[in-house]
Amino acid sequence: MDREVERTLEALLDERRTFAPPEAFAKAAILNDPSVYTEAERDPDAWWETQAERLDWFVRWERVLEWEPPHHRWFLGGQLNASHNCLDRHLAENADRVAYHWIGEPGEKRSVTYGELHEEVCKLANVLKELGVQKGDRVAIYLPMIPELPAAMLACARIGAAHSVVFGGFSAESLRDRINDAEAKVLITADGGYRRGDVVPLKTNVDEALTATPSIEKVVVVQRTGEDVPMQEGRDLVYSELVANASPDCDAEALDSEHMLYILYTSGTTGKPKGIVHTTGGYLTGVSSTHRSIFDLKPETDVYWCAADIGWVTGHSYIVYGPLANGCTSILYEGAPDYPDKDRWWSIVEEYGVTILYTAPTAIRTFMKWGPDFPRKHDMSSLRLLGSVGEPINPEAWIWYQEFIGGGRTPVVDTWWQTETGAIAISPLPGITTLKPGSATKPYPGVFADVVDESGRGVGPGGGGYLVLKRPLPSMFRTIYGDDQRYRETYFSKFGDDIYFPGDGAKLDDDGYFWLLGRVDDVMNIAGHRISTYEVESALVDHPAVAEAAVVGRRHPQEGEAIAAFVTPKAGREGDEDFAVELRAHVAKVIGKIARPHSIVFTDDLPKTRSGKIMRRLLRDVAEGRALGDVTTLQNAPILDEIRTKANSLQGDES
Ligand code: 7RM
């Protein structure tokens, strides 16, 4: 990359402002002494032991880590139960504390205490046993965001069955593939769920999926909407009837630390979804530790809200296992952020006095697009900490989030991690770390991350390359279900079998802060320069009239790749030729002429996954005029046709 481009990229990523922890925040924070980093670096096993000791173990481990690359096992010889750690151990003192304030999209409210959740889980665990589910079996769960979803997960954990949660927005086909790969015996689902005022026909999808799922014996159906749905005699059973007749006594099984807790499917860039396998002791250690330290969690007083869906890993780790293991009170909201109006989240924050909010950059950019009047309608002074996850957060969105949601008071923790890492791996500690908007800052204590070049050598401060983890984390996945070879090849072959390669690009700044740049497949080669799509996107959304942008490289006869941009203007700005000219000039100013998009398509929305990540792969297909690849994880399919029509009229416009 030439000097000029390098300098301008740095100018863009080098956010000028930094934010030290507010004094009062640091003083009251759980962690405020930087020695936690040096201690953990000196003896990571001893550090992870202190974190494992925060859990209840039926039998203490004999050995912390067995690292036989690329496999690693944690807390060997130890026995525990995740459901016991999330429920039973809180009962003596906090049975009446609310675990979830549940809010249905149409407006129902239900607060479930730890005592009540425990009873529900025990009954459901007994139901599962009666249906023939045994330790080691797999149970598929396809539910909306209702309290029965965490209850179902914990019921499985209680008896040692692995759950496989399939996001409620997935199609019948996706559900079928996942059930078959895991060979699930029982499916727990609902008649339907609510989304933006409409009913999502879950049971209809189930009936379609189950025409070819030989492993499924029974289907347990929660009556969420109360609509009349077909029930297949002998196979389908009503949740409430089963639970009403079940005993509330069910001991939590003592399980080996390495016992499989769950499988969660994640789609790779190609091929069939990967069943990411998480086990019990290490996973629970990682999620409870990070949840407490990074969110500075005070379970007696905080009202915590991770606004993700439980159907993806953020929900597993930071709505269910982390928060419940820490005994805190969470919000569980079923529906869309703009139903009935665009201030739904902020009315929830006000009504429940939410203190910690954790969401994704895509949501933040949507709120930016809607404008600050919606949050302004509500008193959100209870918020004291904000978090971000899922994609790189551009500095503009970071500042907006802190300003308009956090009232300019709150630290913002940008947390990098993956389904595979199970828990947050790179993130600030809000009582210690000086924040730089756009940077996930530093590896969590006990995490050994680096940025390396193609040959695996560390690039050092100021350099860019591939993110790697040089030592396993207790919360990391153990394998891909049924395909250990793919585990080795995908994650432990690029730099050797003892170096984990997550597939992300990153830069280190002069202070050794990590700047995540998204997937390495998203790095373009523009006339010989390596420019990440994120850098151009960040320059585009830096323009005051741009709400969101996606950038892909399109094969170009002269230049190798040409930059194709897809831009959503903010309300009130027309996506016309004048604006395109202005944006090209803006990118030239911020990064350099080399990074100017060849083509700009204006669109009201971008193709996103169900978890809100922009699907650049599909935009690349559109930009190159090819048939679309796998669209099963796409959230908003109609927008693609619209974008394609607009993009076609631009083909050949290479000015
Ligand atoms: C938690 C989650 C993982 C991928 C990961 C990155 C991207 C996630 C950040 C981020 C930059 C972040 N699991 N990613 N968090 N990129 N900054 N704070 O998202 O398995 O669904 O996705 O998401 O590319 O590899 S995931």
Side-chain angles (χ1 to χ4, degrees):
M1 200 180 296
D2 68 30
R3 282 287 235 333
E4 189 216 342
V5 178
E6 194 111 288
R7 267 200 307 275
T8 39
L9 286 180
E10 271 162 23
L12 175 69
L13 293 176
D14 241 34
E15 168 61 44
R16 298 131 286 261
R17 274 181 287 176
T18 62
F19 298 84
E23 209 175 301
F25 188 101
K27 198 157 168 258
I30 291 176
L31 291 180
N32 48 22
D33 181 349
S35 69
V36 62
Y37 285 107
T38 41
E39 291 290 306
E41 190 165 347
R42 198 176 47 74
D43 191 347
D45 284 359
W47 153 257
W48 287 123
E49 282 198 285
T50 65
Q51 300 306 290
E53 278 160 2
R54 298 185 53 255
L55 301 172
D56 251 11
W57 294 77
F58 299 139
V59 178
R60 193 187 161 95
W61 59 91
E62 284 154 12
R63 204 167 150 204
V64 183
L65 166 64
E66 181 190 274
W67 177 213
E68 288 171 358
H71 293 111
H72 53 107
R73 306 199 300 150
W74 291 80
F75 307 113
L76 287 96
Q79 288 187 6
L80 76 170
N81 182 289
S83 166
H84 168 90
N85 271 281
C86 289
L87 300 169
D88 307 48
R89 70 173 177 139
H90 305 312
L91 297 184
E93 290 182 17
N94 295 308
D96 295 331
R97 183 182 290 163
V98 171
Y100 293 113
H101 289 296
W102 176 73
I103 301 131
E105 192 186 76
E108 313 97 308
K109 294 170 190 169
R110 205 171 121 197
S111 294
V112 184
T113 65
Y114 276 88
E116 290 163 345
L117 188 59
H118 174 260
E119 184 176 328
E120 179 91 0
V121 166
C122 287
K123 288 180 170 174
L124 186 55
N126 281 327
V127 167
L128 292 176
K129 282 199 247 180
E130 277 161 37
L131 297 180
V133 178
Q134 292 172 358
K135 183 173 158 181
D137 285 345
R138 279 81 53 214
V139 173
I141 302 177
Y142 185 60
L143 284 171
M145 286 278 283
I146 53 178
E148 287 80 356
L149 172 49
M153 294 161 75
L154 294 170
C156 292
R158 199 165 187 87
I159 61 174
H163 54 73
S164 164
V165 177
V166 180
F167 176 70
F170 277 147
S171 64
E173 196 185 317
S174 310
L175 175 63
R176 177 192 299 155
D177 290 347
R178 286 159 174 76
I179 287 174
N180 286 338
D181 189 78
E183 297 177 288
K185 206 174 196 177
V186 166
L187 169 65
I188 305 177
T189 187
D191 46 6
Y194 292 100
R195 188 73 190 179
R196 208 159 275 135
D198 292 331
V199 168
V200 184
L202 294 175
K203 184 59 168 54
T204 310
N205 294 345
V206 163
D207 290 336
E208 196 185 323
L210 265 50
T211 54
T213 51
S215 60
I216 291 288
E217 293 170 11
K218 298 286 176 195
V219 179
V220 179
V221 184
V222 178
Q223 290 166 321
R224 162 68 187 114
T225 64
E227 296 208 325
D228 209 10
V229 294
M231 297 289 280
Q232 186 176 310
E233 185 77 42
R235 184 194 73 180
D236 300 352
L237 305 156
V238 177
Y239 178 102
S240 57
E241 290 169 8
L242 295 172
V243 165
N245 295 319
S247 153
D249 298 315
C250 178
D251 284 344
E253 286 271 335
L255 301 169
D256 192 87
S257 175
E258 282 295 325
H259 188 79
M260 178 161 68
L261 178 61
Y262 68 78
I263 305 172
L264 182 59
Y265 286 87
T266 176
S267 36
T269 29
T270 54
K272 65 172 188 147
K274 297 175 277 198
I276 301 297
V277 171
H278 283 291
T279 57
T280 308
Y283 175 79
L284 212 57
T285 298
V287 297
S288 62
S289 167
T290 49
H291 179 252
R292 171 171 176 265
S293 312
I294 293 168
F295 298 108
D296 186 42
L297 186 86
K298 317 274 181 8
E300 302 77 26
T301 47
D302 276 318
V303 178
Y304 162 87
W305 186 10
C306 168
D309 194 287
I310 292 177
W312 65 302
V313 74
T314 303
H316 280 59
S317 298
Y318 297 107
I319 299 178
V320 182
Y321 289 107
L324 295 179
N326 287 326
C328 87
T329 296
S330 290
I331 300 288
L332 188 64
Y333 170 55
E334 178 185 34
D338 55 351
Y339 190 87
D341 206 347
K342 297 186 173 66
D343 65 341
R344 183 69 185 268
W345 279 23
W346 319 127
S347 78
I348 293 174
V349 168
E350 179 171 21
E351 181 174 348
Y352 291 89
V354 173
T355 58
I356 303 168
L357 177 68
Y358 190 30
T359 186
T362 177
I364 298 164
R365 288 189 294 261
T366 302
F367 296 131
M368 287 173 75
K369 181 167 72 181
W370 293 340
D373 286 346
F374 294 101
R376 273 192 193 124
K377 278 200 261 183
H378 298 275
D379 176 3
M380 306 209 289
S381 56
S382 55
L383 286 171
R384 65 180 194 91
L385 181 65
L386 302 175
S388 170
V389 60
E391 284 192 297
I393 178 164
N394 50 294
E396 200 207 2
W398 194 106
I399 297 283
W400 192 93
Y401 191 29
Q402 191 200 42
E403 188 61 33
F404 292 106
I405 306 304
R409 303 176 306 279
T410 58
V412 175
V413 289
D414 173 12
T415 62
W416 179 90
W417 60 293
Q418 308 176 294
T419 307
E420 293 86 341
T421 66
I424 297 168
I426 303 178
S427 160
L429 291 175
I432 298 176
T433 315
T434 292
L435 307 173
K436 300 186 184 188
S439 168
T441 76
K442 299 274 184 176
Y444 187 71
V447 176
F448 291 71
D450 200 1
V451 180
V452 301
D453 64 17
E454 198 65 46
S455 71
R457 254 189 304 270
V459 296
Y466 304 100
L467 178 70
V468 292
L469 301 183
K470 299 195 286 194
R471 195 177 196 279
L473 322 187
S475 62
M476 250 166 77
F477 69 141
R478 300 301 191 257
T479 189
I480 293 173
Y481 192 72
D483 198 350
D484 196 56
Q485 192 53 30
R486 195 170 173 199
Y487 167 84
R488 288 172 179 274
E489 279 162 13
T490 313
Y491 304 101
F492 290 95
S493 62
K494 192 167 170 69
F495 302 109
D497 66 3
D498 57 346
I499 303 278
Y500 173 69
F501 173 51
D504 280 17
K507 291 189 181 197
L508 286 177
D509 71 12
D510 292 334
D511 300 323
Y513 275 48
F514 286 72
W515 296 77
L516 282 309
L517 299 176
R519 312 295 301 166
V520 288
D521 335 319
D522 292 334
V523 174
M524 303 172 290
N525 184 335
I526 310 299
H529 302 288
R530 283 172 62 79
I531 296 178
S532 87
T533 57
Y534 165 68
E535 288 162 319
V536 182
E537 289 163 7
S538 202
L540 287 166
V541 295
D542 180 65
H543 188 287
V546 172
E548 192 153 41
V551 163
V552 298
R554 161 159 57 95
R555 267 190 299 262
H556 184 278
Q558 285 87 43
E559 315 223 1
E561 271 183 294
I563 300 177
F566 300 83
V567 172
T568 307
K570 278 192 187 150
R573 180 71 198 237
E574 185 81 30
D576 54 15
E577 191 46 40
D578 284 354
F579 193 20
V581 169
E582 196 177 318
L583 283 179
R584 286 165 52 82
H586 186 74
V587 174
K589 190 181 85 204
V590 184
I591 306 183
K593 278 190 176 173
I594 179 103
R596 282 182 312 186
H598 269 76
S599 58
I600 298 182
V601 171
F602 291 102
T603 168
D604 293 340
D605 203 356
L606 294 165
K608 290 181 190 155
T609 63
R610 309 281 176 177
S611 62
K613 291 189 215 295
I614 297 169
M615 294 185 81
R616 293 185 188 75
R617 174 171 61 77
L618 294 179
L619 288 173
R620 217 174 294 131
D621 293 342
V622 168
E624 296 187 342
R626 298 189 272 276
L628 297 180
D630 183 11
V631 291
T632 48
T633 58
L634 186 63
Q635 164 190 180
N636 46 352
I639 197 69
L640 263 181
D641 297 328
E642 216 174 282
I643 294 176
R644 198 210 289 270
T645 312
K646 291 183 188 163
N648 281 343
S649 63
L650 281 172
Q651 294 288 336
D653 175 17
E654 308 277 342
S655 54

